Amino acid sequence: MPTSSKVASEPNDFAGIVVRAACALCKGVCCKHGDDNGYIDDGALVRVRLARPGLSDEALLKLYLQRIPAAAYRDSCIFHGKKGCTLDRSMRADICNSYFCGGLRAYIDSGAVPEPTIVIAGDTEKMRVSPVLIP
Ligand code: SF4
Ligand code: SF4
């Protein structure tokens, strides 16, 4: 029987500021594998159900369908809209709430002392740079 999963929280220290800046600049490259299901799995669905007792199958489906943006990124997740993911964290799969790409994971795990930081993201032709992030 599927079980509910907890909603992983975002880092809320300076690392979280760096993470949000990086993901905004990157525009969600890692979401491209979300395809037409956004990684939605049993754990996420059970969690949503528990938070909304009495939700019918149809209502659950509608809850997700109405989050599909009018325009999504080409060749990316169906919930990847212009301003990022259109799902609340509580509606996402665990992998979406806890995944960090290699660069970000290395930064978080390094336990780096907060210091003024610049984030650079993109490929060589479309490099994007954040303002200086101050702890
Ligand atoms: S985790 Fe990495 S690849 Fe994914 S959106 Fe953030 S910076 Fe981009
Ligand atoms: S559900 Fe949201 S976070 Fe997950 S892959 Fe799709 S756009 Fe990215």
Side-chain angles (χ1 to χ4, degrees):
M1 174 183 281
T3 56
S4 173
S5 54
K6 288 185 178 175
V7 182
S9 57
E10 283 185 286
N12 58 6
D13 51 8
F14 183 65
I17 293 173
V18 172
V19 164
R20 285 186 283 281
C23 295
L25 284 179
C26 159
K27 299 181 189 281
V29 166
C30 58
C31 294
K32 67 183 176 186
H33 299 299
D35 294 325
D36 287 346
N37 58 44
Y39 296 109
I40 304 301
D41 57 5
D42 292 348
L45 293 177
V46 171
R47 185 196 321 124
V48 171
R49 265 256 158 84
L50 287 175
R52 299 166 176 78
L55 200 68
S56 67
D57 291 348
E58 292 74 22
L60 180 63
L61 183 60
K62 188 177 176 186
L63 197 64
Y64 279 94
L65 290 178
Q66 64 191 13
R67 293 302 182 97
I68 297 173
Y73 273 83
R74 178 179 297 172
D75 298 327
S76 189
C77 174
I78 196 170
F79 298 109
H80 189 180
K82 189 175 180 183
K83 294 182 179 176
C85 182
T86 56
L87 296 179
D88 302 337
R89 289 179 71 83
S90 63
M91 293 176 68
R92 297 178 198 162
D94 290 348
I95 190 172
C96 294
N97 287 330
S98 59
Y99 175 81
F100 298 105
C101 59
L104 281 183
R105 173 50 69 194
Y107 171 75
I108 293 168
D109 290 348
S110 73
V113 175
E115 58 183 354
T117 301
I118 289 176
V119 178
I120 302 173
D123 53 37
T124 47
E125 291 181 7
K126 294 179 181 174
M127 205 61 82
R128 292 178 287 275
V129 182
S130 76
V132 180
L133 306 173
I134 308 290

mmCIF file of all heavy atoms in Angstrom, residues 80-122:
data_model
loop_
_atom_site.group_PDB
_atom_site.id
_atom_site.type_symbol
_atom_site.label_atom_id
_atom_site.label_comp_id
_atom_site.label_asym_id
_atom_site.label_seq_id
_atom_site.Cartn_x
_atom_site.Cartn_y
_atom_site.Cartn_z
ATOM 1 N N HIS A 80 6.169 22.886 -15.896
ATOM 2 C CA HIS A 80 7.289 23.848 -15.927
ATOM 3 C C HIS A 80 6.836 25.109 -16.663
ATOM 4 O O HIS A 80 6.929 25.212 -17.878
ATOM 5 C CB HIS A 80 8.486 23.197 -16.630
ATOM 6 C CG HIS A 80 9.751 23.983 -16.535
ATOM 7 N ND1 HIS A 80 10.915 23.555 -17.105
ATOM 8 C CD2 HIS A 80 10.032 25.176 -15.952
ATOM 9 C CE1 HIS A 80 11.874 24.439 -16.873
ATOM 10 N NE2 HIS A 80 11.356 25.439 -16.184
ATOM 11 N N GLY A 81 6.331 26.057 -15.901
ATOM 12 C CA GLY A 81 5.813 27.285 -16.488
ATOM 13 C C GLY A 81 6.854 28.390 -16.560
ATOM 14 O O GLY A 81 8.010 28.224 -16.151
ATOM 15 N N LYS A 82 6.423 29.509 -17.036
ATOM 16 C CA LYS A 82 7.327 30.642 -17.254
ATOM 17 C C LYS A 82 8.021 31.083 -15.967
ATOM 18 O O LYS A 82 9.165 31.508 -15.970
ATOM 19 C CB LYS A 82 6.520 31.817 -17.831
ATOM 20 C CG LYS A 82 7.346 32.977 -18.300
ATOM 21 C CD LYS A 82 6.467 34.026 -18.954
ATOM 22 C CE LYS A 82 7.309 35.207 -19.436
ATOM 23 N NZ LYS A 82 6.457 36.278 -20.018
ATOM 24 N N LYS A 83 7.304 30.990 -14.846
ATOM 25 C CA LYS A 83 7.875 31.414 -13.567
ATOM 26 C C LYS A 83 8.324 30.240 -12.713
ATOM 27 O O LYS A 83 8.451 30.354 -11.499
ATOM 28 C CB LYS A 83 6.852 32.274 -12.808
ATOM 29 C CG LYS A 83 6.546 33.595 -13.511
ATOM 30 C CD LYS A 83 5.573 34.417 -12.703
ATOM 31 C CE LYS A 83 5.298 35.744 -13.408
ATOM 32 N NZ LYS A 83 4.268 36.543 -12.696
ATOM 33 N N GLY A 84 8.531 29.109 -13.340
ATOM 34 C CA GLY A 84 8.986 27.938 -12.599
ATOM 35 C C GLY A 84 7.877 26.915 -12.441
ATOM 36 O O GLY A 84 6.898 26.903 -13.197
ATOM 37 N N CYS A 85 8.034 26.093 -11.418
ATOM 38 C CA CYS A 85 7.057 25.022 -11.209
ATOM 39 C C CYS A 85 5.707 25.595 -10.777
ATOM 40 O O CYS A 85 5.634 26.458 -9.911
ATOM 41 C CB CYS A 85 7.582 24.074 -10.135
ATOM 42 S SG CYS A 85 6.480 22.672 -9.844
ATOM 43 N N THR A 86 4.652 25.097 -11.390
ATOM 44 C CA THR A 86 3.310 25.604 -11.065
ATOM 45 C C THR A 86 2.653 24.814 -9.929
ATOM 46 O O THR A 86 1.535 25.139 -9.531
ATOM 47 C CB THR A 86 2.399 25.547 -12.310
ATOM 48 O OG1 THR A 86 2.382 24.205 -12.796
ATOM 49 C CG2 THR A 86 2.902 26.489 -13.389
ATOM 50 N N LEU A 87 3.338 23.799 -9.433
ATOM 51 C CA LEU A 87 2.791 23.022 -8.313
ATOM 52 C C LEU A 87 3.314 23.556 -6.986
ATOM 53 O O LEU A 87 4.495 23.900 -6.866
ATOM 54 C CB LEU A 87 3.201 21.546 -8.428
ATOM 55 C CG LEU A 87 2.680 20.760 -9.617
ATOM 56 C CD1 LEU A 87 3.231 19.332 -9.558
ATOM 57 C CD2 LEU A 87 1.167 20.749 -9.656
ATOM 58 N N ASP A 88 2.441 23.613 -5.978
ATOM 59 C CA ASP A 88 2.906 23.884 -4.617
ATOM 60 C C ASP A 88 3.856 22.748 -4.224
ATOM 61 O O ASP A 88 3.707 21.621 -4.681
ATOM 62 C CB ASP A 88 1.731 23.884 -3.627
ATOM 63 C CG ASP A 88 0.675 24.902 -4.005
ATOM 64 O OD1 ASP A 88 1.014 25.861 -4.720
ATOM 65 O OD2 ASP A 88 -0.481 24.721 -3.596
ATOM 66 N N ARG A 89 4.758 23.046 -3.307
ATOM 67 C CA ARG A 89 5.672 21.991 -2.870
ATOM 68 C C ARG A 89 4.916 20.781 -2.334
ATOM 69 O O ARG A 89 5.334 19.642 -2.502
ATOM 70 C CB ARG A 89 6.628 22.523 -1.791
ATOM 71 C CG ARG A 89 7.658 23.495 -2.311
ATOM 72 C CD ARG A 89 8.561 23.996 -1.196
ATOM 73 N NE ARG A 89 9.486 22.998 -0.698
ATOM 74 C CZ ARG A 89 10.661 22.705 -1.255
ATOM 75 N NH1 ARG A 89 11.053 23.338 -2.327
ATOM 76 N NH2 ARG A 89 11.447 21.779 -0.733
ATOM 77 N N SER A 90 3.781 21.033 -1.680
ATOM 78 C CA SER A 90 3.016 19.932 -1.094
ATOM 79 C C SER A 90 2.409 19.017 -2.162
ATOM 80 O O SER A 90 2.007 17.896 -1.856
ATOM 81 C CB SER A 90 1.905 20.482 -0.201
ATOM 82 O OG SER A 90 0.990 21.237 -0.979
ATOM 83 N N MET A 91 2.339 19.490 -3.390
ATOM 84 C CA MET A 91 1.766 18.675 -4.460
ATOM 85 C C MET A 91 2.840 17.973 -5.295
ATOM 86 O O MET A 91 2.522 17.147 -6.135
ATOM 87 C CB MET A 91 0.907 19.546 -5.391
ATOM 88 C CG MET A 91 -0.349 20.108 -4.748
ATOM 89 S SD MET A 91 -1.248 21.207 -5.859
ATOM 90 C CE MET A 91 -1.836 20.072 -7.127
ATOM 91 N N ARG A 92 4.092 18.317 -5.056
ATOM 92 C CA ARG A 92 5.162 17.744 -5.872
ATOM 93 C C ARG A 92 5.643 16.402 -5.324
ATOM 94 O O ARG A 92 5.482 16.102 -4.148
ATOM 95 C CB ARG A 92 6.368 18.689 -5.902
ATOM 96 C CG ARG A 92 6.108 20.015 -6.540
ATOM 97 C CD ARG A 92 7.372 20.877 -6.458
ATOM 98 N NE ARG A 92 7.047 22.271 -6.662
ATOM 99 C CZ ARG A 92 7.836 23.278 -6.326
ATOM 100 N NH1 ARG A 92 9.009 23.032 -5.791
ATOM 101 N NH2 ARG A 92 7.457 24.525 -6.536
ATOM 102 N N ALA A 93 6.293 15.658 -6.191
ATOM 103 C CA ALA A 93 6.946 14.420 -5.768
ATOM 104 C C ALA A 93 8.169 14.765 -4.928
ATOM 105 O O ALA A 93 8.743 15.855 -5.053
ATOM 106 C CB ALA A 93 7.360 13.613 -6.995
ATOM 107 N N ASP A 94 8.569 13.829 -4.091
ATOM 108 C CA ASP A 94 9.732 14.055 -3.228
ATOM 109 C C ASP A 94 10.964 14.464 -4.021
ATOM 110 O O ASP A 94 11.731 15.325 -3.598
ATOM 111 C CB ASP A 94 10.064 12.773 -2.447
ATOM 112 C CG ASP A 94 9.020 12.460 -1.400
ATOM 113 O OD1 ASP A 94 8.176 13.342 -1.133
ATOM 114 O OD2 ASP A 94 9.042 11.346 -0.870
ATOM 115 N N ILE A 95 11.163 13.831 -5.157
ATOM 116 C CA ILE A 95 12.373 14.115 -5.922
ATOM 117 C C ILE A 95 12.426 15.585 -6.331
ATOM 118 O O ILE A 95 13.488 16.202 -6.366
ATOM 119 C CB ILE A 95 12.494 13.179 -7.157
ATOM 120 C CG1 ILE A 95 13.871 13.335 -7.793
ATOM 121 C CG2 ILE A 95 11.381 13.444 -8.159
ATOM 122 C CD1 ILE A 95 14.161 12.322 -8.884
ATOM 123 N N CYS A 96 11.271 16.168 -6.588
ATOM 124 C CA CYS A 96 11.235 17.581 -6.987
ATOM 125 C C CYS A 96 11.570 18.495 -5.812
ATOM 126 O O CYS A 96 12.109 19.575 -5.999
ATOM 127 C CB CYS A 96 9.864 17.943 -7.540
ATOM 128 S SG CYS A 96 9.482 17.106 -9.078
ATOM 129 N N ASN A 97 11.229 18.087 -4.612
ATOM 130 C CA ASN A 97 11.477 18.923 -3.436
ATOM 131 C C ASN A 97 12.855 18.719 -2.833
ATOM 132 O O ASN A 97 13.308 19.534 -2.035
ATOM 133 C CB ASN A 97 10.425 18.630 -2.354
ATOM 134 C CG ASN A 97 9.064 19.194 -2.718
ATOM 135 O OD1 ASN A 97 8.969 20.204 -3.414
ATOM 136 N ND2 ASN A 97 8.009 18.537 -2.261
ATOM 137 N N SER A 98 13.509 17.648 -3.211
ATOM 138 C CA SER A 98 14.778 17.354 -2.545
ATOM 139 C C SER A 98 15.974 17.287 -3.494
ATOM 140 O O SER A 98 17.118 17.233 -3.044
ATOM 141 C CB SER A 98 14.675 16.034 -1.773
ATOM 142 O OG SER A 98 14.352 14.990 -2.652
ATOM 143 N N TYR A 99 15.727 17.324 -4.792
ATOM 144 C CA TYR A 99 16.835 17.170 -5.738
ATOM 145 C C TYR A 99 17.653 18.450 -5.883
ATOM 146 O O TYR A 99 17.098 19.542 -5.983
ATOM 147 C CB TYR A 99 16.309 16.765 -7.121
ATOM 148 C CG TYR A 99 17.405 16.701 -8.158
ATOM 149 C CD1 TYR A 99 18.232 15.592 -8.248
ATOM 150 C CD2 TYR A 99 17.642 17.784 -9.009
ATOM 151 C CE1 TYR A 99 19.261 15.547 -9.179
ATOM 152 C CE2 TYR A 99 18.672 17.751 -9.936
ATOM 153 C CZ TYR A 99 19.471 16.626 -10.015
ATOM 154 O OH TYR A 99 20.499 16.594 -10.921
ATOM 155 N N PHE A 100 18.967 18.300 -5.913
ATOM 156 C CA PHE A 100 19.868 19.381 -6.289
ATOM 157 C C PHE A 100 20.859 18.812 -7.303
ATOM 158 O O PHE A 100 21.353 17.701 -7.113
ATOM 159 C CB PHE A 100 20.645 19.925 -5.078
ATOM 160 C CG PHE A 100 19.744 20.524 -4.021
ATOM 161 C CD1 PHE A 100 19.487 19.842 -2.838
ATOM 162 C CD2 PHE A 100 19.141 21.749 -4.217
ATOM 163 C CE1 PHE A 100 18.654 20.392 -1.870
ATOM 164 C CE2 PHE A 100 18.300 22.302 -3.259
ATOM 165 C CZ PHE A 100 18.049 21.624 -2.092
ATOM 166 N N CYS A 101 21.130 19.574 -8.337
ATOM 167 C CA CYS A 101 22.099 19.107 -9.331
ATOM 168 C C CYS A 101 23.490 19.064 -8.683
ATOM 169 O O CYS A 101 23.682 19.546 -7.563
ATOM 170 C CB CYS A 101 22.093 20.013 -10.551
ATOM 171 S SG CYS A 101 22.498 21.730 -10.174
ATOM 172 N N GLY A 102 24.442 18.513 -9.408
ATOM 173 C CA GLY A 102 25.771 18.285 -8.846
ATOM 174 C C GLY A 102 26.405 19.526 -8.240
ATOM 175 O O GLY A 102 26.946 19.487 -7.134
ATOM 176 N N GLY A 103 26.341 20.627 -8.974
ATOM 177 C CA GLY A 103 26.973 21.854 -8.498
ATOM 178 C C GLY A 103 26.348 22.356 -7.215
ATOM 179 O O GLY A 103 27.060 22.731 -6.270
ATOM 180 N N LEU A 104 25.041 22.366 -7.175
ATOM 181 C CA LEU A 104 24.362 22.848 -5.970
ATOM 182 C C LEU A 104 24.545 21.890 -4.810
ATOM 183 O O LEU A 104 24.719 22.305 -3.670
ATOM 184 C CB LEU A 104 22.868 23.057 -6.244
ATOM 185 C CG LEU A 104 22.501 24.346 -6.982
ATOM 186 C CD1 LEU A 104 20.993 24.468 -7.116
ATOM 187 C CD2 LEU A 104 23.066 25.566 -6.276
ATOM 188 N N ARG A 105 24.480 20.605 -5.090
ATOM 189 C CA ARG A 105 24.672 19.613 -4.014
ATOM 190 C C ARG A 105 26.064 19.776 -3.407
ATOM 191 O O ARG A 105 26.242 19.742 -2.187
ATOM 192 C CB ARG A 105 24.458 18.203 -4.587
ATOM 193 C CG ARG A 105 24.781 17.055 -3.651
ATOM 194 C CD ARG A 105 24.137 17.179 -2.283
ATOM 195 N NE ARG A 105 22.696 17.034 -2.290
ATOM 196 C CZ ARG A 105 21.917 17.370 -1.260
ATOM 197 N NH1 ARG A 105 22.458 17.875 -0.152
ATOM 198 N NH2 ARG A 105 20.622 17.239 -1.331
ATOM 199 N N ALA A 106 27.052 19.966 -4.256
ATOM 200 C CA ALA A 106 28.418 20.130 -3.753
ATOM 201 C C ALA A 106 28.517 21.392 -2.903
ATOM 202 O O ALA A 106 29.174 21.391 -1.854
ATOM 203 C CB ALA A 106 29.399 20.198 -4.927
ATOM 204 N N TYR A 107 27.849 22.462 -3.341
ATOM 205 C CA TYR A 107 27.887 23.710 -2.575
ATOM 206 C C TYR A 107 27.228 23.509 -1.209
ATOM 207 O O TYR A 107 27.776 23.902 -0.175
ATOM 208 C CB TYR A 107 27.179 24.825 -3.348
ATOM 209 C CG TYR A 107 26.989 26.081 -2.535
ATOM 210 C CD1 TYR A 107 28.060 26.932 -2.278
ATOM 211 C CD2 TYR A 107 25.744 26.404 -1.995
ATOM 212 C CE1 TYR A 107 27.903 28.072 -1.500
ATOM 213 C CE2 TYR A 107 25.568 27.544 -1.225
ATOM 214 C CZ TYR A 107 26.651 28.365 -0.975
ATOM 215 O OH TYR A 107 26.480 29.490 -0.207
ATOM 216 N N ILE A 108 26.054 22.905 -1.184
ATOM 217 C CA ILE A 108 25.336 22.705 0.076
ATOM 218 C C ILE A 108 26.136 21.809 1.016
ATOM 219 O O ILE A 108 26.304 22.108 2.199
ATOM 220 C CB ILE A 108 23.942 22.095 -0.191
ATOM 221 C CG1 ILE A 108 23.070 23.103 -0.932
ATOM 222 C CG2 ILE A 108 23.277 21.657 1.102
ATOM 223 C CD1 ILE A 108 21.790 22.520 -1.489
ATOM 224 N N ASP A 109 26.651 20.705 0.470
ATOM 225 C CA ASP A 109 27.371 19.743 1.316
ATOM 226 C C ASP A 109 28.711 20.286 1.804
ATOM 227 O O ASP A 109 29.269 19.778 2.784
ATOM 228 C CB ASP A 109 27.595 18.426 0.558
ATOM 229 C CG ASP A 109 26.290 17.667 0.356
ATOM 230 O OD1 ASP A 109 25.285 18.043 0.991
ATOM 231 O OD2 ASP A 109 26.286 16.703 -0.434
ATOM 232 N N SER A 110 29.231 21.295 1.125
ATOM 233 C CA SER A 110 30.536 21.832 1.525
ATOM 234 C C SER A 110 30.438 22.564 2.854
ATOM 235 O O SER A 110 31.450 22.769 3.533
ATOM 236 C CB SER A 110 31.067 22.792 0.453
ATOM 237 O OG SER A 110 30.329 24.017 0.477
ATOM 238 N N GLY A 111 29.213 22.976 3.217
ATOM 239 C CA GLY A 111 29.053 23.731 4.451
ATOM 240 C C GLY A 111 29.826 25.037 4.404
ATOM 241 O O GLY A 111 30.339 25.501 5.435
ATOM 242 N N ALA A 112 29.923 25.597 3.213
ATOM 243 C CA ALA A 112 30.719 26.817 3.040
ATOM 244 C C ALA A 112 30.250 27.919 3.979
ATOM 245 O O ALA A 112 29.047 28.100 4.202
ATOM 246 C CB ALA A 112 30.616 27.292 1.585
ATOM 247 N N VAL A 113 31.197 28.628 4.527
ATOM 248 C CA VAL A 113 30.877 29.777 5.374
ATOM 249 C C VAL A 113 30.207 30.827 4.496
ATOM 250 O O VAL A 113 30.711 31.139 3.412
ATOM 251 C CB VAL A 113 32.160 30.352 6.009
ATOM 252 C CG1 VAL A 113 31.841 31.618 6.801
ATOM 253 C CG2 VAL A 113 32.816 29.304 6.886
ATOM 254 N N PRO A 114 29.049 31.359 4.920
ATOM 255 C CA PRO A 114 28.375 32.357 4.094
ATOM 256 C C PRO A 114 29.280 33.547 3.808
ATOM 257 O O PRO A 114 29.873 34.111 4.733
ATOM 258 C CB PRO A 114 27.172 32.766 4.953
ATOM 259 C CG PRO A 114 26.927 31.580 5.829
ATOM 260 C CD PRO A 114 28.276 31.026 6.118
ATOM 261 N N GLU A 115 29.408 33.877 2.579
ATOM 262 C CA GLU A 115 30.200 35.029 2.166
ATOM 263 C C GLU A 115 29.605 35.552 0.871
ATOM 264 O O GLU A 115 28.839 34.846 0.209
ATOM 265 C CB GLU A 115 31.664 34.621 1.952
ATOM 266 C CG GLU A 115 31.840 33.521 0.915
ATOM 267 C CD GLU A 115 33.297 33.087 0.776
ATOM 268 O OE1 GLU A 115 34.156 33.715 1.388
ATOM 269 O OE2 GLU A 115 33.533 32.120 0.036
ATOM 270 N N PRO A 116 29.896 36.801 0.511
ATOM 271 C CA PRO A 116 29.327 37.348 -0.723
ATOM 272 C C PRO A 116 29.567 36.382 -1.887
ATOM 273 O O PRO A 116 30.681 35.897 -2.083
ATOM 274 C CB PRO A 116 30.080 38.666 -0.898
ATOM 275 C CG PRO A 116 30.403 39.071 0.508
ATOM 276 C CD PRO A 116 30.714 37.787 1.218
ATOM 277 N N THR A 117 28.497 36.094 -2.602
ATOM 278 C CA THR A 117 28.533 35.028 -3.608
ATOM 279 C C THR A 117 27.881 35.478 -4.910
ATOM 280 O O THR A 117 26.871 36.175 -4.901
ATOM 281 C CB THR A 117 27.779 33.787 -3.065
ATOM 282 O OG1 THR A 117 28.403 33.353 -1.858
ATOM 283 C CG2 THR A 117 27.767 32.647 -4.065
ATOM 284 N N ILE A 118 28.471 35.070 -6.010
ATOM 285 C CA ILE A 118 27.864 35.294 -7.327
ATOM 286 C C ILE A 118 27.561 33.928 -7.922
ATOM 287 O O ILE A 118 28.388 33.013 -7.846
ATOM 288 C CB ILE A 118 28.823 36.069 -8.260
ATOM 289 C CG1 ILE A 118 28.959 37.517 -7.800
ATOM 290 C CG2 ILE A 118 28.322 36.034 -9.703
ATOM 291 C CD1 ILE A 118 29.969 38.307 -8.609
ATOM 292 N N VAL A 119 26.393 33.796 -8.504
ATOM 293 C CA VAL A 119 26.019 32.539 -9.156
ATOM 294 C C VAL A 119 26.088 32.741 -10.661
ATOM 295 O O VAL A 119 25.585 33.742 -11.188
ATOM 296 C CB VAL A 119 24.587 32.110 -8.770
ATOM 297 C CG1 VAL A 119 24.208 30.828 -9.491
ATOM 298 C CG2 VAL A 119 24.469 31.934 -7.272
ATOM 299 N N ILE A 120 26.717 31.812 -11.341
ATOM 300 C CA ILE A 120 26.804 31.844 -12.805
ATOM 301 C C ILE A 120 26.123 30.588 -13.325
ATOM 302 O O ILE A 120 26.417 29.485 -12.876
ATOM 303 C CB ILE A 120 28.268 31.879 -13.277
ATOM 304 C CG1 ILE A 120 28.969 33.102 -12.685
ATOM 305 C CG2 ILE A 120 28.349 31.899 -14.792
ATOM 306 C CD1 ILE A 120 30.474 33.134 -12.943
ATOM 307 N N ALA A 121 25.196 30.760 -14.237
ATOM 308 C CA ALA A 121 24.459 29.601 -14.755
ATOM 309 C C ALA A 121 24.265 29.741 -16.257
ATOM 310 O O ALA A 121 24.248 30.838 -16.804
ATOM 311 C CB ALA A 121 23.101 29.482 -14.061
ATOM 312 N N GLY A 122 24.102 28.606 -16.920
ATOM 313 C CA GLY A 122 23.843 28.618 -18.359
ATOM 314 C C GLY A 122 24.986 27.985 -19.120
ATOM 315 O O GLY A 122 25.920 27.440 -18.541
#
